[in-house]
């Protein structure tokens, strides 16, 4: 195409016009510049389109994130309230509206909507810092009722680190308290039922222990009554043995009285009646126990040695019960000698002053007690003897403790087991 232009010369003295024209060829056109311009325009258009797409995607992501955040706030069961730095509410979730009532809405002052006791709002806005509600805090709900609540105030800051507002989180403890009370009542009910079952089991156990204890304690006098009664039957055939019959019957009567005393003392022990203790000479109790145990010990080929330290003070105990303790210890010592050769079966009884009282020791020449069994010897129903009840030593320990004494078991360095009864001396003027 032919290109040209006209330009008037702005001169009044020479009013001429300038006219020029030209018909350029294709080679004269700026192809390189045009191509560069087109390329640059394309790049700019592509970059602009990419930026627009990124902005659109970012906006959609932001909207989605806001929707998720708003959904999360709405789904929270705790009351959430946001406010600006002036304390004006900007956001409430449904739980906050349900707690505070329909008058709670954005734009109102936080102090008007949230009436707490004790009130932490003034101190928080004066010095913003994470603040927990005081224990036992109450909140007036939309109906004017005080509710027990727990919660916190948390400050919010802008990009420059300046205080920009706060978020209040609050939980109504009423439902939790009702659930806790219901759970507590259920637990107390189960505990009462469990205690009733335990009491029933304890009564059954007590009855079983009582029956076992009676059988254990009455075995010795009943055995003595039986042997002497059989002796009486044999002596009745001989008219010249009236004196022996009379003595055997007197022994039977004595053992029957002894059985009655044992029953009476067991009943007093179970009923927690006061201890009927008195000053008892140790030698007299040992002699009485040996008198009852001697026939059985002789029949089993067991020799008895008794060493009494002179000048021993009387001890404070029940003579019948202390006698039963010694009888049980002698019987256990005799049982421990079953496997010993006949000539090596010995029981030594010793009495000496110790620690302001008296120690009575019963030692056998048997194999001793296994170390792992020593700690359990005095447990009820624990026995190392086939057919044993496991109550003898437990009853002995209980009786000795009632006297204010102590019963212990050890292995003697010279062999065999030794049981030591430590008893306090009798007071000079017992009450």
């Amino acid at each position: 195409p032919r290109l040209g232009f006209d330009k008037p010369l702005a001169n009044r003295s020479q009013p001429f016009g300038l006219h020029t024209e030209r018909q350029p060829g294709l080679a004269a056109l700026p192809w390189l510049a045009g191509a560069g311009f087109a390329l640059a325009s394309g790049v700019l258009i592509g970059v602009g389109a990419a930026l627009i797409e990124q902005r659109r995607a970012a906006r959609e992501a932001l909207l989605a994130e806001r929707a998720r955040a708003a959904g999360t706030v709405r789904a929270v069961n705790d009351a959430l309230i946001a406010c600006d730095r002036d304390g004006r509410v900007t956001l409430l979730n449904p739980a906050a509206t349900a707690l505070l009532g329909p008058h709670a809405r954005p734009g109102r002052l936080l102090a008007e909507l949230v009436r707490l006791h004790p009130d932490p709002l003034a101190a928080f806005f004066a010095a913003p810092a994470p603040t927990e509600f005081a224990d036992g805090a109450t909140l007036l709900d939309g109906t004017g009722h005080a509710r027990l609540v727990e919660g916190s105030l948390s400050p919010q800051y802008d990009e420059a680190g300046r205080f920009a507002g706060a978020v209040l989180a609050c939980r109504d403890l009423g439902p939790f308290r009702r659930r806790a009370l219901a759970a507590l009542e259920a637990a107390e009910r189960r505990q009462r039922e469990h205690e009733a079952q335990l009491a029933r089991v304890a009564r059954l156990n007590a009855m079983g222990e009582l029956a076992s204890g009676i059988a254990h304690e009455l075995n010795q006098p009943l055995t003595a009554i039986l042997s002497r009664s059989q002796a009486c039957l044999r002596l009745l055939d001989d008219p010249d043995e009236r004196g022996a019959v009379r003595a055997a019957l007197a022994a039977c009567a004595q053992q029957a009285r002894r059985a009655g005393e044992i029953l009476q003392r067991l009943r007093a022990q179970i009923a927690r009646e006061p201890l009927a203790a008195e000053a008892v000479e140790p030698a007299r109790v040992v002699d009485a126990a040996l008198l009852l145990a001697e026939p059985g010990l002789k029949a089993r080929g067991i020799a008895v040695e008794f060493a009494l330290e002179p000048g021993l003070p009387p001890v404070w105990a029940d003579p019948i019960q202390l006698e039963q303790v010694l009888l049980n210890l002698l019987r256990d010592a005799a049982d421990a000698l079953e496997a010993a050769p006949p000539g090596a079966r010995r029981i030594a009884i010793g009495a000496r002053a110790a620690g302001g009282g008296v120690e009575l020791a019963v030692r056998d020449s048997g194999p001793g007690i296994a170390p792992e069994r020593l700690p359990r010897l005095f447990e009820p129903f624990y026995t190392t003897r086939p057919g044993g009840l496991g109550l003898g030593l437990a009853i002995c320990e209980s009786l000795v403790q009632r006297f204010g004494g102590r019963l212990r078991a050890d292995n003697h360095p010279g062999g065999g087991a030794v049981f030591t009864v430590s008893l306090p001396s009798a007071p000079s003027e017992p009450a």
Side-chain angles (χ1 to χ4, degrees), residues 172-186:
D172 181 9
L173 294 181
F176 173 77
R177 174 186 257 181
R178 288 190 292 271
R179 291 194 299 270
L181 288 176
L184 181 60
E185 290 176 357

Side-chain angles (χ1 to χ4, degrees), residues 341-399:
R345 300 176 181 178
R346 295 185 304 277
I347 295 177
I349 303 175
R352 66 184 185 90
V358 174
E359 286 187 351
L360 298 174
V362 177
R363 175 193 169 194
D364 61 66
S365 59
I369 305 168
E372 67 273 9
R373 292 177 175 175
L374 271 173
R376 301 191 59 191
L377 280 182
F378 299 103
E379 293 181 10
F381 303 107
Y382 176 77
T383 180
T384 60
R385 187 172 65 248
L389 294 175
L391 285 172
L393 290 177
I395 292 175
C396 289
E397 184 184 41
S398 176
L399 293 176

Side-chain angles (χ1 to χ4, degrees), residues 50-279:
L51 290 175
I52 292 172
E53 180 62 24
Q54 290 181 359
R55 184 175 181 181
R56 185 189 62 80
R59 180 179 178 82
E60 290 179 354
L62 179 60
L63 292 175
E65 186 66 26
R66 285 181 177 178
R68 284 194 296 269
T72 301
V73 171
R74 287 194 300 270
V76 172
N77 291 328
D78 294 349
L80 294 178
I81 307 172
C83 67
D84 58 20
R85 61 188 303 171
D86 298 324
R88 197 164 297 276
V89 174
T90 58
L91 179 144
L92 299 96
N93 69 341
T97 304
L99 179 63
L100 300 177
H103 64 282
R105 58 185 179 273
R108 299 194 61 181
L109 290 175
L110 182 64
E112 294 177 353
L113 296 180
V114 179
R115 291 170 290 176
L116 286 165
H117 179 76
D119 189 358
L121 296 179
F124 173 81
F125 281 99
T131 303
E132 297 287 338
F133 292 180
D135 291 339
T138 56
L139 170 71
L140 291 181
D141 62 11
T143 62
H145 292 90
R147 297 196 181 203
L148 184 66
V149 295
E150 65 176 6
S152 64
L153 278 164
S154 301
Q156 288 184 313
Y157 301 93
D158 58 16
E159 294 80 359
R162 296 186 297 267
F163 175 65
V167 174
L168 182 146
C170 180
R171 172 178 294 180
D172 181 9
L173 294 181
F176 173 77
R177 174 186 257 181
R178 288 190 292 271
R179 291 194 299 270
L181 288 176
L184 181 60
E185 290 176 357
E188 289 178 348
R189 183 172 61 255
R190 290 193 298 270
Q191 183 179 358
R192 288 193 296 269
E193 294 173 355
H194 185 61
E195 288 177 351
Q197 293 176 355
L198 288 179
R200 180 173 177 273
V201 172
R203 288 193 296 269
L204 292 176
N205 287 340
M207 292 174 62
E209 291 181 10
L210 175 61
S212 300
I214 291 174
H216 188 276
E217 293 300 317
L218 292 182
N219 181 62
Q220 188 74 29
L222 291 179
T223 301
I225 291 173
L226 176 61
S227 62
R228 283 168 173 74
S229 299
Q230 291 173 340
C232 287
L233 290 175
R234 291 193 298 270
L235 293 174
L236 286 175
D237 295 333
D238 189 348
D240 297 331
E241 297 293 341
R242 288 184 178 180
V245 172
R246 185 178 291 107
L249 290 175
C252 286
Q254 180 184 0
Q255 291 302 319
R257 284 193 298 271
R258 176 182 175 79
E261 291 175 348
I262 291 174
L263 284 175
Q264 181 179 358
R265 282 165 171 78
L266 282 173
R267 179 182 179 278
Q269 183 179 357
I270 294 171
R272 304 288 185 183
E273 294 182 3
L275 178 65
E278 59 185 66

